[in-house]
């Protein structure tokens, strides 16, 4: 099964009940694009996606 991504912050969480980043509980396996953020403060993509913690994120989540 495909990993799930948080609908709120786009974090790819695999299997989770609660998002470790935003504490959201809504996930979707229907997402596209995969980005790994290592340095959110100096990453344009992190800024664009409003990512504040390093980790793996989906670009688009349905
Ligand atoms: Zn989240």
């Amino acid at each position: 099964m495909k990993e799930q991504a948080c609908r709120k912050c786009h974090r790819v969480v695999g299997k989770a009940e609660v998002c470790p980043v935003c504490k959201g509980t809504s996930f979707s396996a229907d997402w596209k694009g995969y980005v790994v953020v290592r340095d959110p403060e100096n990453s344009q993509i992190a800024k664009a996606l409003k990512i504040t913690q390093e980790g793996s994120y989906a670009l688009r989540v349905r």
Side-chain angles (χ1 to χ4, degrees):
M1 200 187 109
K2 197 174 179 184
E3 286 188 295
Q4 299 209 309
C6 175
R7 282 202 171 96
K8 205 165 163 188
C9 70
H10 292 195
R11 173 76 168 220
V12 175
V13 294
K15 257 189 175 179
E17 304 270 307
V18 178
C19 175
V21 176
C22 72
K23 312 298 179 199
T25 54
S26 182
F27 302 98
S28 172
D30 188 5
W31 53 270
K32 285 201 169 86
Y34 187 81
V35 60
V36 177
V37 174
R38 296 196 192 282
D39 188 1
E41 301 211 346
N42 294 299
S43 165
Q44 295 292 336
I45 205 153
K47 285 194 181 110
L49 295 172
K50 298 189 171 67
I51 291 167
T52 56
Q53 291 189 33
E54 62 173 82
S56 312
Y57 294 84
L59 285 178
R60 283 169 192 263
V61 182
R62 283 199 177 181

